[in-house]
Amino acid sequence: MKAEIPWKKRKLVAQLIDPDRAGGDSLATAVMYAERAGLDLFLTGGSLTSVPVEGVTARLKQLTSIPVVLFPGNLTQLTTMADAIFLLSLISGRNPELLIGNHVIAAPILKDVREKVIPVGYMLIDCGGGTSVEYMSQTSPIPSGKNDIAVATAVAGEMLGMRAIYLEGGSGAGRPVDPSMIRAVRDQLTIPLIVGGGLDSASKVEEAFTAGADMVVIGNGCEQNPDLITGACRVRDRFNSHSVTI
Ligand code: 1GP
């Protein structure tokens, strides 16, 4: 059976766990807040990590029944242990390794768990200042305000068979993806839309959901304030109680 994420039912909140920042009690603390808030998913991964993603994924699975989705920043972060695996294609860039090369290398490892694989069209959006993902991917982000390029890229990704599109402002982005771009992309897509990067307050999460995000991803904001996940999930619950669907 294919890994399914319950997109159609409701808006979702995901928390990104960077393995390098999951030491000590921080993972158990994150799980405690997440369970209390009713978090939908954990993502594990990062642009550059020195701690293996596999260990953090395994530990999360021991600590909680909240599903864990692999969000691999590079080929060293492959593990089949997660409940689902985002197979990211960086469709905003023109780096062939991130469009197909790495996928070929990963295929022999992933083929036996292919039901867990969810192909995601990953789009880097310029949200002010250089981000790790921009440097590490050696690609240019889509300029802010170029909504037409973002829409065309996302629609191309959908037509290529991606099962979701991810608008990425970059971890710790100065500002999140602009709501006008989220709205423009949402209007033209029939697949789920994920938005992440710089969502460090409940009001920014609300703006992203209002503009049409189906799932938000929060990383840094929760590292600084674990209780942010409570506020984000409350916002989600408000949307879901109004039966907002895609
Ligand atoms: C990064 O979108 C995620 O891939 C999360 O970004 O750390 O800025 O929340 P933040």
Side-chain angles (χ1 to χ4, degrees):
M1 218 179 64
K2 278 190 168 180
E4 290 296 345
I5 289 177
W7 311 103
K8 298 235 169 181
K9 289 193 199 141
R10 52 205 181 98
K11 303 240 181 212
L12 303 171
V13 175
Q15 181 172 346
L16 176 63
I17 301 292
D18 180 337
D20 281 359
R21 302 196 203 140
D25 293 335
S26 61
L27 205 55
T29 305
V31 166
M32 187 190 78
Y33 277 97
E35 288 191 335
R36 209 190 279 160
L39 181 76
D40 296 293
L41 303 168
F42 278 111
L43 302 190
T44 53
S47 290
L48 185 66
T49 54
S50 57
V51 173
V53 169
E54 187 156 67
V56 174
T57 305
R59 197 151 159 251
L60 267 177
K61 289 193 61 63
Q62 273 170 2
L63 287 170
T64 180
S65 57
I66 296 172
V68 182
V69 178
L70 184 68
F71 177 59
N74 58 56
L75 282 170
T76 69
Q77 295 177 13
L78 282 186
T79 169
T80 56
M81 204 173 270
D83 297 296
I85 297 165
F86 281 171
L87 185 64
L88 303 169
S89 291
L90 186 53
I91 58 174
S92 59
R94 299 295 180 268
N95 179 342
E97 298 308 321
L98 304 180
L99 287 164
I100 182 64
N102 285 356
H103 311 66
V104 173
I105 295 168
I109 296 164
L110 297 182
K111 71 177 172 28
D112 294 333
V113 292
R114 69 184 73 185
E115 70 286 351
K116 291 186 179 184
V117 172
I118 299 174
V120 173
Y122 191 51
M123 293 172 49
L124 186 56
I125 313 298
D126 185 2
C127 287
T131 57
S132 301
V133 60
E134 182 181 333
Y135 181 79
M136 295 303 289
S137 67
Q138 293 288 291
T139 68
S140 309
I142 294 177
S144 174
K146 299 287 184 190
N147 294 1
D148 52 348
I149 297 177
V151 169
T153 307
V155 171
E158 173 171 347
M159 292 191 297
L160 281 167
M162 302 297 161
R163 282 169 54 201
I165 295 292
Y166 191 139
L167 298 183
E168 172 68 272
S171 198
R175 57 174 197 275
V177 177
D178 195 84
S180 72
M181 185 179 281
I182 299 174
R183 192 167 292 113
V185 171
R186 175 67 277 156
D187 281 353
Q188 297 295 320
L189 275 190
T190 68
I191 55 175
L193 182 59
I194 306 167
V195 176
L199 296 171
D200 56 8
S201 70
S203 61
K204 289 178 185 169
V205 167
E206 181 162 12
E207 276 186 357
F209 278 145
T210 303
D214 300 297
M215 175 167 126
V216 296
V217 180
I218 307 173
N220 275 269
C222 290
E223 286 165 13
Q224 266 133 51
N225 169 21
D227 202 28
L228 171 59
I229 211 63
T230 313
C233 289
R234 275 202 197 117
V235 170
R236 173 207 60 192
D237 291 343
R238 254 194 348 260
F239 275 85
N240 290 339
S241 68
H242 291 119
S243 303
V244 176
T245 53
I246 60 169

